[in-house]
Amino acid sequence: MVSSTTVQNEKTSPSRKSSAVGIGPGNYRLVGWDMDTTGKKVIDEICQIAGYTPSSTYSQYVMPCKDLNPPAMKRHNMKIVTIGKFRVLKDSKTNKALKTKSEVYALTDFLTWLECIRGDAADGIILVYHEPRKVIPAMLLESLKKYNLLERFKQIVKGFVNGFNVAEVKCANTFRAFSLRTLSHALFNQEKQLDNAKDRALLALRIVQHLSSLEVTKGNEANGSGDSDSAMKKTAEFIREFVQPVEIEEQEYAELKIVYERQNSLRPIFGILFRANRRERQHANPLRRLLAEAGIEYSQLQEAWNNGKKESLEKLIKEKLPAVEKKKIEDVLIILEGYFDPAKNPKFRVPGNKHEMKMEKSQINDDKENNNKCDSGTDSLNTTTSNSPLKINSESSEISTVIAEE
């Protein structure tokens, strides 16, 4: 879980918001689950993984290979300190060193714990988490695949359920926001510290249990303890329609990687805007994502410009984005025209002095030259195959494997 701030009930990008397919009736075990990571991108690393059931908990800090970025340090109250030749993960509040394991050992231990608590749940475990814009399932699957642990995981876990989606549907007439902090206060009248994955895993499970008990109460059925076996089975039945099987998560992530590759191909166009101030980055990133999700790649834009300049670009954009509001179309066209015709700059940008604007034009030309070097190695922009590797430069903070803005 990367963000616990209030998130309004708004439309979410189709590549981010889950349309869960659900699973059939069965004997399932529910486990609250969450992770802390070094940043907001799918390629970032795990620095804590946690699980919770009423009878058992799991929590393990992980030593990542790279440092946490500043927002992640603030969010998780963790930092990495180098002492001599050694790197140490520390609690930012207490400045105490945290006991860590390598990612592969932490994941192996996590799977062993899941196997132990599965018990008689013949149909597997359902991992319950809570995210406004889901990403941590993809991060977990990517890490498991890296260490050849994915098949073992699939034998234990049936699927994932996002408590945010459950609350969004079941509480649509009651709340306008569905974050962990908001629901904790509204449902339990508690102000929870949510900087630790273990606490969020507990709360994610408690929320779906509580919503399930409310549904049972509406039906005038006996409620009983929320942690009893019968209550947990009713909760599993309650959330069954929201469960996303592991195989479906894999398919969605494979499709999402293609979108990421398209976004990466558009980096020469949007790169200068991402190097600008935060306001411009926040303006440009959704526009680039909009193009990528519509299936538009750099080569298509280049071809359209060569064939008919601005008119061809406008025709292509309107064909691919027929339902997008006019203002966004205009902004996209301003950016594209400013890139392909260096004599123009994006009009929504706040211009600097003349020297700065010349530098910007020079950088546009440099980016265009770099984009033409498709065979130069790491800067290759080949996105022609769905199974091609995800080409994301680690130094590029703007690549849109973004998790959730706080």
Side-chain angles (χ1 to χ4, degrees), residues 4-264:
S4 58
T5 55
T6 299
V7 178
Q8 298 299 325
N9 183 11
E10 60 184 23
K11 292 182 180 179
T12 308
S13 163
S15 69
R16 298 298 180 132
K17 187 170 182 176
S18 169
S19 53
V21 297
I23 55 175
N27 184 9
Y28 303 107
R29 178 85 63 205
L30 299 185
V31 177
W33 162 74
D34 216 318
M35 298 193 310
D36 287 336
T37 59
T38 57
K40 295 183 177 182
K41 296 174 280 185
V42 173
I43 58 170
D44 280 308
E45 301 173 67
I46 301 169
C47 51
Q48 185 187 12
I49 183 168
Y52 168 83
T53 69
S55 59
S56 179
T57 60
Y58 175 86
S59 178
Q60 179 60 59
Y61 290 102
V62 178
M63 175 54 71
C65 293
K66 61 181 180 182
D67 294 346
L68 286 76
N69 66 28
M73 291 171 60
K74 181 179 179 181
R75 195 161 47 241
H76 308 316
N77 285 314
M78 284 188 281
K79 61 183 178 180
I80 292 180
V81 178
T82 301
I83 303 175
K85 297 182 179 180
F86 301 96
R87 298 168 73 245
V88 180
L89 186 65
K90 285 191 172 186
D91 186 310
S92 299
K93 290 182 176 179
T94 64
N95 205 37
K96 290 184 178 179
L98 301 169
K99 187 176 181 180
T100 63
K101 289 186 177 181
S102 66
E103 189 176 63
V104 62
Y105 280 108
L107 290 171
T108 302
D109 287 349
F110 180 60
L111 295 184
T112 301
W113 178 75
L114 290 176
E115 288 170 338
C116 291
I117 64 168
R118 178 177 178 177
D120 61 354
D123 295 300
I125 285 173
I126 298 173
L127 293 180
V128 181
Y129 67 104
H130 197 104
E131 270 197 321
R133 301 176 72 183
K134 68 166 191 174
V135 167
I136 57 171
M139 298 180 77
L140 179 62
L141 295 178
E142 187 78 358
S143 295
L144 291 167
K145 185 177 180 181
K146 182 166 55 176
Y147 302 113
N148 297 318
L149 295 172
L150 185 56
E151 290 306 314
R152 181 182 172 187
F153 176 80
K154 290 162 72 173
Q155 292 174 4
I156 308 166
V157 176
K158 179 66 176 179
F160 301 88
V161 62
N162 190 348
F164 184 92
N165 294 341
V166 178
E168 193 175 30
V169 172
K170 299 298 182 180
C171 304
N173 298 325
T174 310
F175 305 118
R176 292 192 308 117
F178 309 99
S179 70
L180 277 176
R181 180 167 284 111
T182 300
L183 293 174
S184 175
H185 180 74
L187 300 178
F188 309 123
N189 196 26
Q190 296 176 343
E191 292 290 343
K192 289 284 188 180
Q193 291 296 323
L194 302 176
D195 55 356
N196 191 289
K198 181 173 65 174
D199 296 331
R200 296 195 305 273
L202 182 155
L203 191 54
L205 183 58
R206 281 195 65 198
I207 286 173
V208 296
Q209 285 179 286
H210 187 80
L211 295 179
S212 172
S213 68
L214 291 177
E215 192 83 1
V216 169
T217 302
K218 288 179 183 178
N220 296 320
E221 299 180 26
N223 193 1
S225 172
D227 291 340
S228 67
D229 289 342
S230 61
M232 290 296 282
K233 288 180 180 179
K234 289 176 181 177
T235 303
E237 180 64 24
F238 169 73
I239 65 173
R240 191 165 54 81
E241 64 180 292
F242 297 95
V243 175
Q244 192 86 329
V246 176
E247 292 76 14
I248 301 300
E249 286 286 353
E250 286 186 279
Q251 293 175 20
E252 283 194 358
Y253 181 47
E255 295 169 0
L256 200 55
K257 286 170 72 173
I258 298 174
V259 174
Y260 294 158
E261 291 179 350
R262 291 196 198 107
Q263 289 185 213
N264 200 28

Side-chain angles (χ1 to χ4, degrees), residues 188-400:
F188 309 123
N189 196 26
Q190 296 176 343
E191 292 290 343
K192 289 284 188 180
Q193 291 296 323
L194 302 176
D195 55 356
N196 191 289
K198 181 173 65 174
D199 296 331
R200 296 195 305 273
L202 182 155
L203 191 54
L205 183 58
R206 281 195 65 198
I207 286 173
V208 296
Q209 285 179 286
H210 187 80
L211 295 179
S212 172
S213 68
L214 291 177
E215 192 83 1
V216 169
T217 302
K218 288 179 183 178
N220 296 320
E221 299 180 26
N223 193 1
S225 172
D227 291 340
S228 67
D229 289 342
S230 61
M232 290 296 282
K233 288 180 180 179
K234 289 176 181 177
T235 303
E237 180 64 24
F238 169 73
I239 65 173
R240 191 165 54 81
E241 64 180 292
F242 297 95
V243 175
Q244 192 86 329
V246 176
E247 292 76 14
I248 301 300
E249 286 286 353
E250 286 186 279
Q251 293 175 20
E252 283 194 358
Y253 181 47
E255 295 169 0
L256 200 55
K257 286 170 72 173
I258 298 174
V259 174
Y260 294 158
E261 291 179 350
R262 291 196 198 107
Q263 289 185 213
N264 200 28
S265 79
L266 298 172
R267 196 179 87 172
I269 298 174
F270 289 85
I272 186 173
L273 303 177
F274 289 123
R275 287 188 289 272
N277 60 53
R278 181 178 180 181
R279 183 178 180 182
E280 291 175 7
R281 290 197 300 271
Q282 289 177 335
H283 183 92
N285 192 57
L287 298 178
R288 184 179 68 161
R289 188 166 60 243
L290 198 65
L291 294 176
E293 288 171 355
I296 299 174
E297 297 181 0
Y298 179 90
S299 58
Q300 294 172 281
L301 297 171
Q302 179 73 68
E303 182 180 359
W305 178 262
N306 292 339
N307 290 337
K309 305 298 180 182
K310 183 179 179 180
E311 290 74 16
S312 292
L313 279 178
E314 187 172 358
K315 181 180 178 181
L316 173 66
I317 297 301
K318 289 184 176 180
E319 284 179 356
K320 294 286 188 176
L321 301 170
V324 176
E325 60 185 84
K326 184 179 178 180
K327 178 65 169 60
K328 290 184 178 180
I329 296 292
E330 290 175 352
D331 284 349
V332 167
L333 290 173
I334 288 171
I335 293 173
L336 296 179
E337 189 180 9
Y339 171 76
F340 288 110
D341 184 358
K344 297 184 179 181
N345 279 323
K347 296 179 182 178
F348 66 84
R349 299 194 62 200
V350 180
N353 57 44
K354 293 182 179 180
H355 175 70
E356 291 172 338
M357 293 179 69
K358 289 179 181 179
M359 290 293 289
E360 290 168 359
K361 294 174 185 178
S362 174
Q363 185 62 53
I364 288 176
N365 291 329
D366 290 344
D367 286 344
K368 291 174 76 172
E369 289 178 7
N370 291 335
N371 186 61
N372 292 329
K373 298 177 182 178
C374 292
D375 299 322
S376 61
T378 58
D379 287 332
S380 171
L381 297 172
N382 175 25
T383 59
T384 56
T385 60
S386 60
N387 61 350
S388 59
L390 182 58
K391 306 174 184 69
I392 300 179
N393 293 330
S394 60
E395 78 277 8
S396 177
S397 63
E398 75 274 4
I399 296 302
S400 296

